[in-house]
Amino acid sequence: TMSSTTAPLTTTTTKTKTSSATDMSRRMVCGGLAGMIAKTATNPLERIKMLSQTGDGKTTNVLLLYRNILQKEGIMGLWAGNGANLLRVFPAKAVVFSSNDVYKQLLKRTFSSCASPQHEPALPGYLAFCAGGMSGMSASLLTYPLDFARGRISGKLAKSCGTKQYRGIVHTLSLTIKDEGLLAVYKGITPTLLGAMPYEGIKFGTVGVLEVLYPASPGDDLPLRKMWFGGMGGVMAGLLTYPNDTVRRMLQIQGSRGTHTQFTGYWDCVKQLYQQEGGIPRFYRGITINLIRMAPNTAIQFYSYELLKQLSSDLL
């Protein structure tokens, strides 16, 4: 009798584990695809923003940068670095969105006493911030060399003759390792990790706060809600963490071919940018184009993720 009782329990446990693994895989694929769609759609704005940050475009005027890219690299120059970005974004956004869901559930079970199976309240804003921050750091650790390669490809403009110093992911990484050593592909990792916690935390935290302030009604279009909330979260995160992102990009391109500025570390970079290149405004070069980019980029990410989750849920 005991064995007959144990068998159904074992079968149920196995099914639950399989279902959880399938759901996690589904969320990862949806998160990765959502990130790829959003990044490809907004890459031209990202390219202009990065050239403003690094100063390699010799101007911060958006229209002049746009014209320089077209003149020196052609229309596809607007998508320079997008290949590296997509290779990075799929695993990064897969980890961000799927682990954010996992962290949210974990924090809800740990800290929230009011959760119940019948009525699941939205996660409090401070817990949504923590979940987003932890998911951002997890993704950054796993995919940083690809982000580094993309920073060098997008942050450097081709010379007047049209030749590019860095022509792709493999070329960039192999050239960097050859010129500067293996550890060079981790230049900028400190500000990346420092920025990942507040960036993803503010983004997901803002969405969490808005979900509490404006709870969903039964007939609401959930992907559309997430699109609006995500857009606002992206703008907030981009605005508050931008100076750190500028430092990160400068550390990534230091030592690259055609770049002569050198920094001994994070704070030396901050000090040099402040003292030698215009004070506080130097850290905000490209902020306007970044805010224009962030709203659609994050809105598309959240909308695509929710929509793909719904569609894949119906299929499984």
Side-chain angles (χ1 to χ4, degrees):
T1 313
M2 232 169 146
S3 60
S4 62
T5 307
T6 308
L9 286 173
T10 307
T11 307
T12 304
T13 305
T14 305
K15 284 182 178 178
T16 303
K17 285 182 179 178
T18 305
S19 176
S20 297
T22 303
D23 187 58
M24 184 65 169
S25 301
R26 180 175 66 87
R27 289 171 186 271
M28 290 187 76
V29 171
C30 291
L33 289 174
M36 291 177 77
I37 293 167
K39 290 295 183 182
T40 301
T42 59
N43 198 81
L45 297 175
E46 172 77 1
R47 180 83 204 279
I48 293 170
K49 184 265 291 188
M50 288 180 71
L51 286 172
S52 295
Q53 284 181 307
T54 62
D56 201 68
K58 310 303 179 188
T59 178
T60 57
N61 184 287
V62 171
L63 293 178
L64 286 177
L65 281 170
Y66 178 76
R67 189 184 68 183
N68 288 344
I69 293 169
L70 292 182
Q71 284 179 346
K72 294 182 179 181
E73 301 179 18
I75 189 70
M76 293 310 295
L78 294 169
W79 277 271
N82 194 49
N85 210 13
L86 294 186
L87 277 181
R88 177 191 70 86
V89 160
F90 188 89
K93 292 304 176 185
V95 172
V96 164
F97 278 98
S98 58
S99 65
N100 181 67
D101 287 345
V102 171
Y103 288 137
K104 281 200 299 186
Q105 291 301 320
L106 179 65
L107 291 171
K108 187 179 285 188
R109 286 197 303 269
T110 307
F111 295 103
S112 185
S113 58
C114 53
S116 65
Q118 291 79 20
H119 175 66
E120 274 204 22
L123 195 68
Y126 69 96
L127 291 182
F129 175 90
C130 292
M134 289 189 292
S135 66
M137 292 186 77
S138 301
S140 295
L141 278 170
L142 291 171
T143 61
Y144 187 74
L146 292 171
D147 183 50
F148 171 85
R150 172 229 177 187
R152 288 215 164 173
I153 296 166
S154 296
K156 304 282 290 179
L157 191 62
K159 303 304 175 189
S160 54
C161 56
T163 54
K164 298 189 69 174
Q165 300 283 6
Y166 300 98
R167 296 189 299 272
I169 305 161
V170 175
H171 180 257
T172 300
L173 292 177
S174 59
L175 202 62
T176 300
I177 292 168
K178 177 187 172 185
D179 290 350
E180 304 165 55
L182 181 61
L183 292 179
V185 299
Y186 286 93
K187 284 181 178 178
I189 186 69
T190 301
T192 298
L193 293 179
L194 287 175
M197 181 75 183
Y199 179 81
E200 296 296 346
I202 292 166
K203 188 169 74 177
F204 282 99
T206 301
V207 172
V209 168
L210 290 171
E211 286 179 331
V212 172
L213 293 175
Y214 305 101
S217 302
D220 283 354
D221 185 329
L222 291 181
L224 196 61
R225 272 172 53 83
K226 280 295 179 73
M227 183 183 80
W228 287 110
F229 292 170
M232 286 185 269
V235 169
M236 285 294 294
L239 183 63
L240 294 173
T241 63
Y242 194 77
N244 183 72
D245 190 58
T246 296
V247 174
R248 179 168 81 103
R249 294 304 177 196
M250 292 303 295
L251 287 171
Q252 284 181 340
I253 68 161
Q254 71 157 330
S256 62
R257 295 189 174 188
T259 302
H260 305 292
T261 309
Q262 290 290 331
F263 310 106
T264 58
Y266 182 87
W267 292 112
D268 182 55
C269 180
V270 171
K271 182 181 174 183
Q272 285 197 46
L273 291 179
Y274 181 80
Q275 291 181 343
Q276 300 172 20
E277 298 193 35
I280 295 294
R282 174 63 182 88
F283 296 94
Y284 287 93
R285 280 187 192 172
I287 184 67
T288 304
I289 196 72
N290 189 56
L291 293 178
I292 294 169
R293 178 190 72 89
M294 281 308 306
N297 176 60
T298 318
I300 292 168
Q301 278 182 38
F302 275 89
Y303 179 81
S304 302
Y305 180 62
E306 288 300 319
L307 187 62
L308 289 167
K309 270 205 309 184
Q310 283 188 5
L311 293 174
S312 59
S313 178
D314 293 338
L315 292 173
L316 295 175

